[in-house]
Amino acid sequence: MGEPAPRRETVIGKVVLILRAFTVDRTTLTFSQLHTRTGLPKATLHRVAGDLVHSGLLDRVDGRYRLSGLVFELGMRASVERELLEVALPFLEELREKTRETVHLGVREGTEVVYVAKVGGHRQAASPSRLGGRMPLHATAIGKVLLAHAPAEVRDRVLGAIRTRLAPRTITNVDVLRTQLDAVLEKAVAFEHEESAVGIACVACPVFDAHDTVVGAVSVTGPVTRFHPASHVSAVRAAAAGITAALARRDHDGDTAVPPSGTKPWS
């Protein structure tokens, strides 16, 4: 639901199918596994995979395929995520030191959260998030922030198709979630209580660019046995506000964007 389906009849569509077959959990795949995951005819898959190896987008080692270093290099050139990550890392580290818990930075892709940074806390929590991994927007605090600020068509699409339960307390009631999203817009903070995984709680705040558009969200996560999200709101807001201000300064210094045009909810 989070990504548009590639057009299987085109060469690019076949390439995308193959590249997407690799996940955070499955970084190497056999030809048979690629065939199962892509559904491409074997002859077609063999030809396209061979071309990807020849072009340097895939590596083939001991009969198994994996994404190459070139894919990572190209991914790091994605300007928005790279700039956001470069600016955010000092604030994420500081937030981790203040809270001693796991800190995340996430962005929205379609109807999913993509975690672009995860800084492990001094007291590790068994969070289901993975660096580079994806989660549905409605099931996490970061996701709720991003969903609340998403375009109306994205919000309507998610609210109209909530079926995925990651845990017993995942919110699938549209009215309840809609009320929470309205509160996120009003208070610039979102909470999660065992909705992505049993035993996990989380608090998240939005990060804005110089155009007052939400480009990501920061969160702190911990186990419900000792972690109280409300007590960390100020720290998460401060980190998000710091990243927002740093993005605005960088854009202003580079004359690539106008300064923020409005007062943020926490100002």
Side-chain angles (χ1 to χ4, degrees):
M1 184 171 68
E3 298 176 327
R7 297 174 59 187
R8 302 168 61 91
E9 69 275 13
T10 68
V11 173
I12 293 298
K14 295 178 178 68
V15 168
V16 171
L17 272 174
I18 292 171
L19 296 180
R20 284 187 183 174
F22 299 90
T23 67
V24 174
D25 297 315
R26 300 300 296 269
T27 57
T28 66
L29 296 170
T30 64
F31 182 86
S32 178
Q33 290 168 331
L34 272 177
H35 174 61
T36 300
R37 286 172 172 254
T38 63
L40 294 173
K42 289 185 177 181
T44 300
L45 177 60
H46 187 272
R47 175 174 43 82
V48 178
D51 288 343
L52 290 174
V53 171
H54 181 73
S55 64
L57 292 174
L58 286 183
D59 292 330
R60 190 169 185 269
V61 180
D62 296 330
R64 300 181 69 89
Y65 295 88
R66 67 186 182 195
L67 297 177
S68 71
L70 176 59
V71 174
F72 174 79
E73 181 183 339
L74 293 173
M76 288 303 295
R77 295 179 192 173
S79 59
V80 174
E81 288 81 2
R82 182 177 181 181
E83 179 183 16
L84 177 61
L85 187 57
E86 288 176 349
V87 169
L89 276 176
F91 297 95
L92 301 180
E93 294 282 359
E94 182 180 4
L95 182 58
R96 189 269 304 271
E97 291 304 313
K98 284 182 178 178
T99 63
R100 304 182 69 81
E101 302 289 359
T102 300
V103 173
H104 297 95
L105 175 67
V107 298
R108 181 179 67 83
E109 275 196 18
T111 56
E112 295 177 313
V113 178
V114 177
Y115 291 94
V116 296
K118 181 176 181 178
V119 185
H122 296 279
R123 299 177 292 182
Q124 291 286 345
S127 171
S129 61
R130 301 275 185 94
L131 182 61
R134 296 169 177 268
M135 299 279 281
L137 289 174
H138 69 280
T140 70
I142 280 184
K144 291 176 190 177
V145 169
L146 299 174
L147 181 57
H149 290 275
E153 61 269 21
V154 174
R155 186 166 168 168
D156 291 343
R157 182 152 42 109
V158 171
L159 291 173
I162 299 177
R163 296 180 181 86
T164 304
R165 280 189 180 274
L166 302 184
R169 297 189 67 175
T170 302
I171 296 172
T172 56
N173 183 292
V174 173
D175 293 333
V176 172
L177 185 57
R178 196 187 303 275
T179 298
Q180 289 194 4
L181 297 179
D182 290 342
V184 171
L185 292 175
E186 178 184 353
K187 300 177 181 178
V189 63
F191 298 96
E192 177 206 335
H193 298 279
E194 298 188 282
E195 296 159 46
S196 64
V198 174
I200 290 295
C202 187
V203 54
C205 293
V207 172
F208 295 82
D209 67 7
H211 299 285
D212 285 352
T213 299
V214 169
V215 292
V218 176
S219 74
V220 173
T221 301
V224 294
T225 52
R226 58 173 166 77
F227 182 77
H228 304 287
S231 66
H232 296 286
V233 170
S234 295
V236 179
R237 275 182 172 162
I243 298 169
T244 294
L247 287 173
R249 285 195 301 271
R250 174 177 286 204
D251 284 342
H252 181 266
D253 292 343
D255 292 326
T256 58
V258 297
S261 59
T263 302
K264 301 298 180 289
W266 55 76
S267 300

